[in-house]
């Protein structure tokens, strides 16, 4: 193999198949260091080096996920033929009621093994939408509730949900088959498995959760997010504050080569600036808990032109995100089963990847575990110090004997993730000497003595527009 030098400091490698150019990376990088602009250090005298508390011990192990029970539940849901909201709620073998019974029965099995901790509720209600022909239609959601152990946080609720209704090509046809294995028996299986994993840990004394966790299987998603809209209203009626909502919808398939891949995590930006909505902060928290190798953050409310059960919570300004598989196959969702031109359509169990689905269940469960163990987020986070050498952050928080303190976070305005700047033991104001208010975004989060973190609360600023000329009078 012959080598020929070139004028750019690289070299051509002559091979049997042709000529390949290889850059001399060291020379290029050195040249870039000389020519690219450099930024002054912030702060000029060096950034603080706070001690980082370890994350909570006793994490959910992947080996503890029961893929067989997830497969069994999906099989029972698919066997209902259709679970369309407009189908029968009374037939035990076909229709929406068949799906409800399969979910409730599995929740009740798990409740027995929880030592009485898990409480199962079948919530009956009526809703109306264009996809119910604008008529009140009966629906039912199924919940399993794991009450929080801390009186101050027990009315904070973290929700994980999948929808057990399915649909054929015609969303108004209650008679056509709609197996719905991926959309969304997979999400239901994840929610139910999270109930088993987290209630089992509590029953064995391996830790209790300060906040309440609700594991949901809702109906009416395909008719217009009906069950999730009602779930939000139900939570308010029960006096809960929603700490976060995790929607698992279409999380069962991963057919591309090289599986398992990362699950997509969608989060909207809300009606505010700077990409710091509560939903976006929830997504960042989940990625930090589960790792970048497991979570692919997508900074969108949902898939393009689509919607899911997190949406009513998101529109209410609450932390709500959606988990969805890496690449969807539209031949196997929202399709009446059939074969056309040699192509099989239909949402069947045989297209699922239970290794991937088990990963998603573990990631949901661990995120819920850590968030439910964490102190309440701080409140009233403010940023001041404009036109001064120092940024000043201030926040408030109620007393909490289980809280170790607070982490002050910052990030470049073009970066998607927070990094730790400093640690503060108590609420109040902290001066970040030599740090510009303009060059970074800032946030605060609570840290428990157990290492669990709340979601971050971005600092707010008082916006003061520059003075403008007074319009002249004509």
């Amino acid at each position: 193999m012959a080598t020929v030098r070139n004028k750019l400091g690289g070299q051509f490698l002559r091979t049997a198949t042709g000529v390949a150019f290889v850059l001399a990376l060291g020379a290029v990088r050195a040249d870039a260091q000389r020519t690219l602009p450099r930024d002054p250090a912030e702060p000029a005298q060096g950034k603080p080096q706070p001690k980082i508390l370890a994350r909570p011990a006793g994490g959910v192990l992947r080996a503890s996920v029961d893929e067989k029970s997830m497969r069994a539940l999906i099989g029972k849901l698919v066997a209902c033929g259709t679970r369309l909201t407009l189908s029968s709620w009374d037939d035990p073998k076909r229709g929406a009621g068949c799906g409800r019974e399969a979910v409730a029965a599995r929740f009740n099995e798990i409740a027995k093994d929880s030592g009485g901790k898990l409480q199962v509720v079948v919530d009956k209600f009526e809703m109306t939408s264009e996809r119910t022909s604008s008529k009140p239609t009966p629906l039912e959601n199924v919940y399993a509730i794991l009450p929080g152990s801390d009186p101050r946080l027990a009315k904070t609720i973290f929700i994980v949900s999948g929808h057990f209704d399915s649909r054929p090509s015609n969303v108004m046809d209650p008679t056509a088959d709609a197996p719905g294995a991926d959309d969304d028996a997979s999400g239901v299986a994840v929610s139910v498995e999270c109930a088993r994993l987290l209630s089992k840990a509590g029953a064995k004394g391996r830790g209790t959760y300060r906040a309440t966790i609700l594991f949901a299987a809702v109906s009416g998603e395909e008719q217009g997010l009906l069950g999730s809209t009602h779930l939000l209203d139900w939570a308010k009626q029960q006096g809960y504050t929603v700490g976060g909502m995790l929607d698992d919808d279409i999380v069962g398939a991963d057919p591309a080569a090289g599986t398992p891949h990362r699950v997509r995590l969608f989060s909207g930006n809300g009606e505010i600036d700077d990409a710091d909505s509560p939903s976006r902060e929830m997504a960042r928290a989940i990625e930090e808990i589960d790792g970048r190798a497991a979570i692919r953050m997508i900074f969108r409310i949902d898939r393009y032109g689509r919607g899911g059960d997190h949406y009513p919570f998101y529109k209410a300004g609450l932390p709500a995100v959606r988990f969805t598989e890496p690449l969807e196959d539209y031949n196997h969702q929202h399709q009446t089963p059939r074969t056309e031109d040699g192509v099989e359509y239909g949402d069947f169990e045989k297209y699922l990847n239970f290794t991937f689905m088990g990963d998603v269940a573990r990631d949901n469960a661990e995120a819920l575990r850590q968030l439910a163990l964490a102190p309440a987020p701080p409140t009233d986070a403010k940023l001041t110090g404009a036109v001064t050498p120092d940024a000043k952050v201030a926040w408030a928080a109620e007393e909490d004997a289980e809280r170790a303190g607070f982490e002050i976070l910052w990030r470049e305005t073009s970066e998607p993730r927070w990094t730790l700047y400093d640690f503060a033991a108590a609420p109040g104001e902290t001066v970040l000497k030599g740090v510009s208010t303009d060059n970074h975004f800032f946030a605060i989060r609570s840290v428990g003595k157990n290492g669990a973190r709340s979601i971050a609360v971005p600092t707010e600023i008082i916006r003061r527009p520059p003075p403008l000329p007074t319009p002249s009078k004509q």
Side-chain angles (χ1 to χ4, degrees), residues 257-336:
T259 57
H261 300 98
R262 294 185 298 171
V263 66
R264 292 185 292 170
L265 183 63
F266 289 86
S267 64
N269 187 45
E271 307 295 333
I272 61 175
D273 295 336
D274 306 338
D276 282 330
S277 70
S279 293
R280 191 61 47 77
E281 298 308 336
M282 175 61 72
R284 291 184 175 115
I286 292 171
E287 188 207 50
E288 187 173 344
I289 290 169
D290 291 326
R292 297 188 197 181
I295 302 295
R296 179 183 182 183
M297 289 196 297
I298 306 290
F299 282 6
R300 269 190 159 137
I301 300 173
D302 208 322
R303 292 86 34 80
Y304 188 61
R306 309 285 292 281
D309 283 325
H310 64 302
Y311 187 75
F313 292 81
Y314 164 78
K315 289 300 289 183
L318 299 167
V321 296
R322 173 183 180 139
F323 290 82
T324 298
E325 63 199 32
L327 288 173
E328 297 173 73
D329 187 336
Y330 302 110
N331 292 340
H332 305 308
Q333 55 179 263
H334 294 193
Q335 297 283 355
T336 300

Side-chain angles (χ1 to χ4, degrees), residues 189-458:
V190 165
S191 178
V192 171
E193 179 63 7
C194 285
R196 188 191 71 84
L197 289 166
L198 297 181
S199 64
K200 184 177 181 180
K204 292 187 176 182
R206 297 208 307 267
T208 54
Y209 311 104
R210 303 185 68 188
T212 295
I213 307 175
L214 185 147
F215 310 92
V218 302
S219 61
E221 194 269 355
E222 303 292 3
Q223 308 309 122
L225 312 182
L226 306 184
S228 57
T229 299
H230 174 77
L231 172 56
L232 174 59
D233 292 338
W234 179 91
K236 292 177 181 178
Q237 292 168 4
Q238 303 300 313
Y240 288 116
T241 298
V242 177
M245 192 274 188
L246 283 59
D247 174 30
D248 286 88
D249 195 349
I250 310 180
V251 293
D254 187 19
T259 57
H261 300 98
R262 294 185 298 171
V263 66
R264 292 185 292 170
L265 183 63
F266 289 86
S267 64
N269 187 45
E271 307 295 333
I272 61 175
D273 295 336
D274 306 338
D276 282 330
S277 70
S279 293
R280 191 61 47 77
E281 298 308 336
M282 175 61 72
R284 291 184 175 115
I286 292 171
E287 188 207 50
E288 187 173 344
I289 290 169
D290 291 326
R292 297 188 197 181
I295 302 295
R296 179 183 182 183
M297 289 196 297
I298 306 290
F299 282 6
R300 269 190 159 137
I301 300 173
D302 208 322
R303 292 86 34 80
Y304 188 61
R306 309 285 292 281
D309 283 325
H310 64 302
Y311 187 75
F313 292 81
Y314 164 78
K315 289 300 289 183
L318 299 167
V321 296
R322 173 183 180 139
F323 290 82
T324 298
E325 63 199 32
L327 288 173
E328 297 173 73
D329 187 336
Y330 302 110
N331 292 340
H332 305 308
Q333 55 179 263
H334 294 193
Q335 297 283 355
T336 300
R338 66 195 187 280
T339 299
E340 293 179 355
D341 299 325
V343 177
E344 184 177 40
Y345 296 88
D347 188 354
F348 296 110
E349 182 182 342
K350 65 183 178 180
Y351 296 114
L352 301 182
N353 181 321
F354 284 89
T355 299
F356 171 77
M357 198 190 309
D359 290 346
V360 176
R362 183 268 165 200
D363 294 336
N364 272 259
E366 180 60 16
L368 289 165
R369 184 185 79 92
Q370 292 201 28
L371 290 168
L373 286 172
T379 60
D380 200 29
K382 302 292 184 185
L383 171 67
T384 58
V387 202
T388 74
D390 308 320
K392 302 177 180 68
V393 294
W395 65 95
E398 295 183 358
E399 291 292 327
D400 185 348
E402 299 302 316
R403 186 178 60 222
F406 304 89
E407 288 180 338
I408 301 170
L409 309 174
W410 69 339
R411 73 174 199 272
E412 293 276 351
T413 60
S414 56
E415 287 294 319
R417 299 173 180 88
W418 297 112
T419 58
L420 178 62
Y421 180 84
D422 204 356
F423 183 88
E429 183 179 81
T430 296
V431 178
L432 314 184
K433 290 191 173 295
V435 175
S436 168
T437 56
D438 308 320
N439 299 346
H440 295 82
F441 296 137
F442 303 90
I444 314 296
R445 67 183 176 193
S446 303
V447 184
K449 292 178 180 178
N450 57 9
R453 274 82 167 167
S454 72
I455 67 170
V457 178

